[in-house]
Amino acid sequence: MTTVVTSGVFPSTAPAISPVNGLGTADVRWGSSGSQSGYQFRGAAADVQLDGTEFVVGTFVHRNVPTTVSPSQFDVHLTVNVMFEDGSTTDLTFSFHHNETPNSTGSSPVDDDLVDLQEFIHPQPVTIGGKQYRAVLSGFKRGGQIVRQFRSPEGGINFAEVVCMFTLDEPDVIISGLRYLGTGQGQADEYVEIFNQGGAPQDLTGWFVESRTTGYRFPFPSGTVIQPGQRYRVYTNEVHPEFGGFSFASTQQVWRDEGGIARLVAADGHVPDQYPYLDRGFNTSGTP
């Protein structure tokens, strides 16, 4: 474990946008004078495990007011300076893709602006204590959920924590969550979630997740790859493209409310992870 302190600046956009000010600082704004939207990055201090455990690298703030900028979609680059407890530092570079959606008029609803993480892996290894690691952004953390797209309602100051991890340059796929208490008949909105906490992609061809108690099994389609920091969910009978679009397509309950075990099985039969539930201190919502 190591302790880090972070700070960040937005050095540039691609393509260049106009009007814009604040490049090279932690607070960049764009749009017409008196009506400017923009990003702010607030650094953090954290104790960091070097095993793929996620930590908050900072807070992302979007000040969203009706404005116009050209072009309306662009990348905003972020450089995060990380200072370690021994005084050494490293810079991490990532990008946000911004969609300044059209500002509706009259009685029409105003569309949320959309912010997507474009760069998840810092391109160069980071040396910590003489060992090399990969720095990976997992996404935006809002309401206890980590997502890769930030929806920012118009006319407000909207926040999300930015979650990062230091990990070895190899895949490491685990079961990271299980919602076993769904709603409605058949509990279609239940899901099992897998997460690549490693620093390299993993081909999931031949892999499957299964409920040991009910016997349901979901094989991942051939050619499915999970990237570093990415999460996939397999729902009981719903399709969510933002989490891979996978489903057991079952009208019956997959995860017993009384408890059970989820298993992740690799193509060679090895079990990279298994996940017993109802004995791990879960809350009443069924989400860890």
Side-chain angles (χ1 to χ4, degrees), residues 53-124:
T53 300
E54 294 167 310
F55 68 97
V56 176
V57 73
T59 300
F60 173 82
V61 183
H62 181 212
R63 287 176 168 81
N64 189 3
V65 298
T67 194
T68 56
V69 64
S70 181
S72 61
Q73 293 196 42
F74 47 89
D75 292 341
V76 182
H77 303 308
L78 171 67
T79 299
V80 178
N81 179 262
V82 181
M83 176 179 289
F84 299 96
E85 57 190 14
D86 64 0
S88 63
T89 64
T90 190
D91 284 339
L92 307 178
T93 58
F94 303 101
S95 296
F96 302 90
H97 182 74
H98 186 82
N99 182 357
E100 186 74 36
T101 55
N103 301 311
S104 301
T105 58
S107 60
S108 299
V110 177
D111 291 330
D112 296 346
D113 285 358
L114 303 176
V115 185
D116 292 278
L117 283 171
Q118 291 292 93
E119 299 292 340
F120 299 99
I121 308 175
H122 180 63
Q124 287 81 38

Side-chain angles (χ1 to χ4, degrees), residues 100-249:
E100 186 74 36
T101 55
N103 301 311
S104 301
T105 58
S107 60
S108 299
V110 177
D111 291 330
D112 296 346
D113 285 358
L114 303 176
V115 185
D116 292 278
L117 283 171
Q118 291 292 93
E119 299 292 340
F120 299 99
I121 308 175
H122 180 63
Q124 287 81 38
V126 176
T127 301
I128 307 173
K131 293 184 178 180
Q132 289 192 331
Y133 298 88
R134 286 288 184 182
V136 180
L137 285 188
S138 299
F140 300 106
K141 187 174 184 179
R142 303 183 78 184
Q145 297 286 320
I146 298 176
V147 297
R148 293 200 169 195
Q149 184 181 78
F150 178 95
R151 299 190 66 91
S152 182
E154 198 80 30
I157 301 176
N158 305 304
F159 301 80
E161 293 176 326
V162 181
V163 179
C164 184
M165 60 186 181
F166 289 113
T167 187
L168 297 177
D169 194 10
E170 58 189 32
D172 184 10
V173 184
I174 63 169
I175 297 174
S176 54
L178 178 65
R179 177 182 173 86
Y180 65 88
L181 288 178
T183 59
Q185 187 174 5
Q187 302 191 37
D189 56 342
E190 295 176 337
Y191 62 79
V192 59
E193 180 182 87
I194 69 169
F195 171 54
N196 185 358
Q197 64 177 6
Q202 174 65 59
D203 187 345
L204 296 178
T205 300
W207 290 50
F208 61 88
V209 290
E210 65 175 358
S211 170
R212 293 287 289 170
T213 46
T214 64
Y216 281 93
R217 176 181 292 187
F218 176 83
F220 289 96
S222 179
T224 300
V225 175
I226 185 168
Q227 299 294 331
Q230 190 169 24
R231 285 172 164 79
Y232 283 151
R233 291 179 180 175
V234 184
Y235 281 81
T236 293
N237 200 21
E238 292 183 351
V239 175
H240 292 258
E242 68 273 24
F243 290 106
F246 303 118
S247 174
F248 284 96

Side-chain angles (χ1 to χ4, degrees), residues 40-53:
Q40 184 181 40
F41 182 81
R42 299 174 180 173
D47 293 328
V48 178
Q49 303 286 343
L50 302 175
D51 59 357
T53 300

